[in-house]
Amino acid sequence: MPEDVCTPAVCTTSDLIVGFANSGAELTAWLTRYAGEPTVDEVDVVAARDLRAALLTLLRAHSDCAGEDEVASAQGYLERIAARYPLVPRISAEGCTLVPAQTGVLGVFGAVLAAVTNLAYQGGWPRVKVCKNIGCHEAFFDKTRNCSGLYCSPACSSQVSMRAYRSRQRSA
Ligand SMILES: [Zn+2]
């Protein structure tokens, strides 16, 4: 990746992806908030869970902790469902971004796919990763200059080095 492509900045695009990936048990609330609709049905939640699982697999791939087979199946899944959430170009004098063609919950799924696409065009997609601290595994946007970040926060990073230190002490 050329170094100048990614100025370390968290933009709304990566925020949307990270927020969706980290929605955890709050998935329905997250969907309701973004869709602006009071009723999100069971079918929507199942679709959201599948989409989130596929994206999380790719985020784990960005952190070098996903198997080839699961990455291939996540990619296949995303290719199949992409047609359900079409995107359209929004063109201005300054440039162009992709936006969802639909509204409501389907529009939220479209917005997530658009965020990935727009971020990928800016060179930032490989920067959305999962934290390597076992027991955290939160999605985060890697702001390091050379895209070498492994942990979501300094707290996770020091937990891991503390654990490594203790295990060295034990084996010494
Ligand atoms: Zn973490």
Side-chain angles (χ1 to χ4, degrees), residues 130-140 150-153 155-157 159:
V130 290
C131 180
K132 284 226 184 194
N133 183 13
I134 296 159
C136 175
H137 282 182
E138 287 272 298
F140 71 104
L150 302 175
Y151 308 106
C152 70
S153 64
C156 275
S157 160
Q159 257 183 42

PDB file of all heavy atoms in Angstrom, residues 130-140 150-153 155-157 159, ligand 1:
ATOM      1  N   VAL A 130      -9.417  -6.824  13.548  1.00  0.00           N
ATOM      2  CA  VAL A 130      -9.866  -7.184  14.893  1.00  0.00           C
ATOM      3  C   VAL A 130      -8.655  -7.209  15.819  1.00  0.00           C
ATOM      4  O   VAL A 130      -7.559  -7.574  15.418  1.00  0.00           O
ATOM      5  CB  VAL A 130     -10.602  -8.551  14.970  1.00  0.00           C
ATOM      6  CG1 VAL A 130     -11.962  -8.490  14.309  1.00  0.00           C
ATOM      7  CG2 VAL A 130      -9.755  -9.649  14.384  1.00  0.00           C
ATOM      8  N   CYS A 131      -8.902  -6.802  17.047  1.00  0.00           N
ATOM      9  CA  CYS A 131      -7.852  -6.751  18.065  1.00  0.00           C
ATOM     10  C   CYS A 131      -7.312  -8.154  18.327  1.00  0.00           C
ATOM     11  O   CYS A 131      -8.074  -9.109  18.456  1.00  0.00           O
ATOM     12  CB  CYS A 131      -8.459  -6.178  19.343  1.00  0.00           C
ATOM     13  SG  CYS A 131      -7.292  -6.063  20.701  1.00  0.00           S
ATOM     14  N   LYS A 132      -5.996  -8.265  18.396  1.00  0.00           N
ATOM     15  CA  LYS A 132      -5.379  -9.581  18.602  1.00  0.00           C
ATOM     16  C   LYS A 132      -5.356 -10.020  20.058  1.00  0.00           C
ATOM     17  O   LYS A 132      -4.903 -11.119  20.359  1.00  0.00           O
ATOM     18  CB  LYS A 132      -3.947  -9.562  18.049  1.00  0.00           C
ATOM     19  CG  LYS A 132      -3.906  -9.632  16.542  1.00  0.00           C
ATOM     20  CD  LYS A 132      -2.872 -10.643  16.131  1.00  0.00           C
ATOM     21  CE  LYS A 132      -2.688 -10.705  14.638  1.00  0.00           C
ATOM     22  NZ  LYS A 132      -1.933 -11.904  14.251  1.00  0.00           N
ATOM     23  N   ASN A 133      -5.806  -9.170  20.963  1.00  0.00           N
ATOM     24  CA  ASN A 133      -5.875  -9.562  22.368  1.00  0.00           C
ATOM     25  C   ASN A 133      -7.011 -10.571  22.549  1.00  0.00           C
ATOM     26  O   ASN A 133      -8.177 -10.243  22.332  1.00  0.00           O
ATOM     27  CB  ASN A 133      -6.116  -8.328  23.244  1.00  0.00           C
ATOM     28  CG  ASN A 133      -6.125  -8.668  24.723  1.00  0.00           C
ATOM     29  OD1 ASN A 133      -5.730  -9.755  25.130  1.00  0.00           O
ATOM     30  ND2 ASN A 133      -6.590  -7.715  25.524  1.00  0.00           N
ATOM     31  N   ILE A 134      -6.656 -11.811  22.936  1.00  0.00           N
ATOM     32  CA  ILE A 134      -7.674 -12.838  23.162  1.00  0.00           C
ATOM     33  C   ILE A 134      -8.574 -12.345  24.282  1.00  0.00           C
ATOM     34  O   ILE A 134      -8.113 -11.866  25.305  1.00  0.00           O
ATOM     35  CB  ILE A 134      -7.006 -14.175  23.551  1.00  0.00           C
ATOM     36  CG1 ILE A 134      -6.161 -14.663  22.377  1.00  0.00           C
ATOM     37  CG2 ILE A 134      -8.047 -15.224  23.931  1.00  0.00           C
ATOM     38  CD1 ILE A 134      -5.096 -15.648  22.775  1.00  0.00           C
ATOM     39  N   GLY A 135      -9.868 -12.450  24.062  1.00  0.00           N
ATOM     40  CA  GLY A 135     -10.787 -11.949  25.074  1.00  0.00           C
ATOM     41  C   GLY A 135     -11.251 -10.533  24.753  1.00  0.00           C
ATOM     42  O   GLY A 135     -12.134 -10.009  25.408  1.00  0.00           O
ATOM     43  N   CYS A 136     -10.659  -9.902  23.746  1.00  0.00           N
ATOM     44  CA  CYS A 136     -11.144  -8.600  23.292  1.00  0.00           C
ATOM     45  C   CYS A 136     -11.765  -8.801  21.915  1.00  0.00           C
ATOM     46  O   CYS A 136     -12.981  -8.793  21.772  1.00  0.00           O
ATOM     47  CB  CYS A 136     -10.023  -7.562  23.242  1.00  0.00           C
ATOM     48  SG  CYS A 136     -10.577  -5.983  22.545  1.00  0.00           S
ATOM     49  N   HIS A 137     -10.896  -9.013  20.929  1.00  0.00           N
ATOM     50  CA  HIS A 137     -11.364  -9.266  19.560  1.00  0.00           C
ATOM     51  C   HIS A 137     -12.338  -8.225  19.032  1.00  0.00           C
ATOM     52  O   HIS A 137     -13.185  -8.528  18.192  1.00  0.00           O
ATOM     53  CB  HIS A 137     -11.974 -10.681  19.442  1.00  0.00           C
ATOM     54  CG  HIS A 137     -10.922 -11.751  19.352  1.00  0.00           C
ATOM     55  ND1 HIS A 137     -11.212 -13.078  19.211  1.00  0.00           N
ATOM     56  CD2 HIS A 137      -9.573 -11.676  19.386  1.00  0.00           C
ATOM     57  CE1 HIS A 137     -10.087 -13.779  19.172  1.00  0.00           C
ATOM     58  NE2 HIS A 137      -9.077 -12.947  19.285  1.00  0.00           N
ATOM     59  N   GLU A 138     -12.234  -6.991  19.527  1.00  0.00           N
ATOM     60  CA  GLU A 138     -13.071  -5.902  19.015  1.00  0.00           C
ATOM     61  C   GLU A 138     -12.523  -5.446  17.664  1.00  0.00           C
ATOM     62  O   GLU A 138     -11.311  -5.473  17.436  1.00  0.00           O
ATOM     63  CB  GLU A 138     -13.002  -4.705  19.974  1.00  0.00           C
ATOM     64  CG  GLU A 138     -13.739  -4.885  21.269  1.00  0.00           C
ATOM     65  CD  GLU A 138     -15.192  -4.463  21.169  1.00  0.00           C
ATOM     66  OE1 GLU A 138     -15.440  -3.277  20.890  1.00  0.00           O
ATOM     67  OE2 GLU A 138     -16.063  -5.324  21.363  1.00  0.00           O
ATOM     68  N   ALA A 139     -13.436  -5.010  16.800  1.00  0.00           N
ATOM     69  CA  ALA A 139     -12.980  -4.428  15.538  1.00  0.00           C
ATOM     70  C   ALA A 139     -12.444  -3.024  15.811  1.00  0.00           C
ATOM     71  O   ALA A 139     -12.918  -2.344  16.727  1.00  0.00           O
ATOM     72  CB  ALA A 139     -14.137  -4.361  14.555  1.00  0.00           C
ATOM     73  N   PHE A 140     -11.441  -2.613  15.068  1.00  0.00           N
ATOM     74  CA  PHE A 140     -10.903  -1.256  15.231  1.00  0.00           C
ATOM     75  C   PHE A 140     -10.280  -0.800  13.924  1.00  0.00           C
ATOM     76  O   PHE A 140     -10.025  -1.596  13.028  1.00  0.00           O
ATOM     77  CB  PHE A 140      -9.858  -1.214  16.362  1.00  0.00           C
ATOM     78  CG  PHE A 140      -8.549  -1.908  16.035  1.00  0.00           C
ATOM     79  CD1 PHE A 140      -7.409  -1.178  15.712  1.00  0.00           C
ATOM     80  CD2 PHE A 140      -8.469  -3.298  16.033  1.00  0.00           C
ATOM     81  CE1 PHE A 140      -6.206  -1.815  15.409  1.00  0.00           C
ATOM     82  CE2 PHE A 140      -7.270  -3.947  15.730  1.00  0.00           C
ATOM     83  CZ  PHE A 140      -6.142  -3.203  15.424  1.00  0.00           C
ATOM     84  N   LEU A 150      -1.844  -3.974  15.952  1.00  0.00           N
ATOM     85  CA  LEU A 150      -2.398  -5.295  16.267  1.00  0.00           C
ATOM     86  C   LEU A 150      -3.537  -5.215  17.278  1.00  0.00           C
ATOM     87  O   LEU A 150      -4.354  -6.122  17.356  1.00  0.00           O
ATOM     88  CB  LEU A 150      -1.298  -6.193  16.858  1.00  0.00           C
ATOM     89  CG  LEU A 150      -0.043  -6.435  16.020  1.00  0.00           C
ATOM     90  CD1 LEU A 150       0.972  -7.247  16.824  1.00  0.00           C
ATOM     91  CD2 LEU A 150      -0.399  -7.146  14.732  1.00  0.00           C
ATOM     92  N   TYR A 151      -3.567  -4.135  18.067  1.00  0.00           N
ATOM     93  CA  TYR A 151      -4.522  -4.053  19.167  1.00  0.00           C
ATOM     94  C   TYR A 151      -5.394  -2.807  19.054  1.00  0.00           C
ATOM     95  O   TYR A 151      -4.968  -1.784  18.527  1.00  0.00           O
ATOM     96  CB  TYR A 151      -3.782  -4.065  20.504  1.00  0.00           C
ATOM     97  CG  TYR A 151      -2.813  -5.228  20.591  1.00  0.00           C
ATOM     98  CD1 TYR A 151      -1.444  -5.021  20.476  1.00  0.00           C
ATOM     99  CD2 TYR A 151      -3.301  -6.527  20.723  1.00  0.00           C
ATOM    100  CE1 TYR A 151      -0.570  -6.091  20.513  1.00  0.00           C
ATOM    101  CE2 TYR A 151      -2.438  -7.602  20.754  1.00  0.00           C
ATOM    102  CZ  TYR A 151      -1.063  -7.380  20.649  1.00  0.00           C
ATOM    103  OH  TYR A 151      -0.207  -8.439  20.666  1.00  0.00           O
ATOM    104  N   CYS A 152      -6.615  -2.929  19.660  1.00  0.00           N
ATOM    105  CA  CYS A 152      -7.574  -1.840  19.532  1.00  0.00           C
ATOM    106  C   CYS A 152      -7.194  -0.642  20.395  1.00  0.00           C
ATOM    107  O   CYS A 152      -7.612   0.475  20.126  1.00  0.00           O
ATOM    108  CB  CYS A 152      -8.967  -2.337  19.880  1.00  0.00           C
ATOM    109  SG  CYS A 152      -9.192  -2.713  21.618  1.00  0.00           S
ATOM    110  N   SER A 153      -6.400  -0.879  21.461  1.00  0.00           N
ATOM    111  CA  SER A 153      -6.101   0.195  22.403  1.00  0.00           C
ATOM    112  C   SER A 153      -4.771  -0.076  23.095  1.00  0.00           C
ATOM    113  O   SER A 153      -4.309  -1.219  23.129  1.00  0.00           O
ATOM    114  CB  SER A 153      -7.210   0.252  23.458  1.00  0.00           C
ATOM    115  OG  SER A 153      -7.196  -0.966  24.188  1.00  0.00           O
ATOM    116  N   ALA A 155      -4.438  -0.257  26.176  1.00  0.00           N
ATOM    117  CA  ALA A 155      -4.762  -1.170  27.272  1.00  0.00           C
ATOM    118  C   ALA A 155      -4.615  -2.625  26.831  1.00  0.00           C
ATOM    119  O   ALA A 155      -4.031  -3.446  27.537  1.00  0.00           O
ATOM    120  CB  ALA A 155      -6.176  -0.906  27.777  1.00  0.00           C
ATOM    121  N   CYS A 156      -5.146  -2.939  25.641  1.00  0.00           N
ATOM    122  CA  CYS A 156      -5.041  -4.316  25.141  1.00  0.00           C
ATOM    123  C   CYS A 156      -3.592  -4.671  24.853  1.00  0.00           C
ATOM    124  O   CYS A 156      -3.137  -5.774  25.145  1.00  0.00           O
ATOM    125  CB  CYS A 156      -5.886  -4.496  23.882  1.00  0.00           C
ATOM    126  SG  CYS A 156      -7.602  -4.886  24.264  1.00  0.00           S
ATOM    127  N   SER A 157      -2.873  -3.721  24.278  1.00  0.00           N
ATOM    128  CA  SER A 157      -1.476  -3.967  23.963  1.00  0.00           C
ATOM    129  C   SER A 157      -0.670  -4.273  25.222  1.00  0.00           C
ATOM    130  O   SER A 157       0.127  -5.213  25.258  1.00  0.00           O
ATOM    131  CB  SER A 157      -0.938  -2.736  23.226  1.00  0.00           C
ATOM    132  OG  SER A 157       0.437  -2.698  23.288  1.00  0.00           O
ATOM    133  N   GLN A 159      -1.885  -5.394  28.108  1.00  0.00           N
ATOM    134  CA  GLN A 159      -2.338  -6.676  28.662  1.00  0.00           C
ATOM    135  C   GLN A 159      -1.585  -7.833  28.023  1.00  0.00           C
ATOM    136  O   GLN A 159      -1.160  -8.765  28.702  1.00  0.00           O
ATOM    137  CB  GLN A 159      -3.832  -6.873  28.365  1.00  0.00           C
ATOM    138  CG  GLN A 159      -4.749  -6.616  29.536  1.00  0.00           C
ATOM    139  CD  GLN A 159      -6.198  -6.902  29.148  1.00  0.00           C
ATOM    140  OE1 GLN A 159      -6.495  -7.875  28.473  1.00  0.00           O
ATOM    141  NE2 GLN A 159      -7.100  -6.025  29.580  1.00  0.00           N
TER     142      GLN A 159
HETATM  143 ZN    ZN B   1      -8.616  -4.903  22.195  1.00  0.00          ZN
END
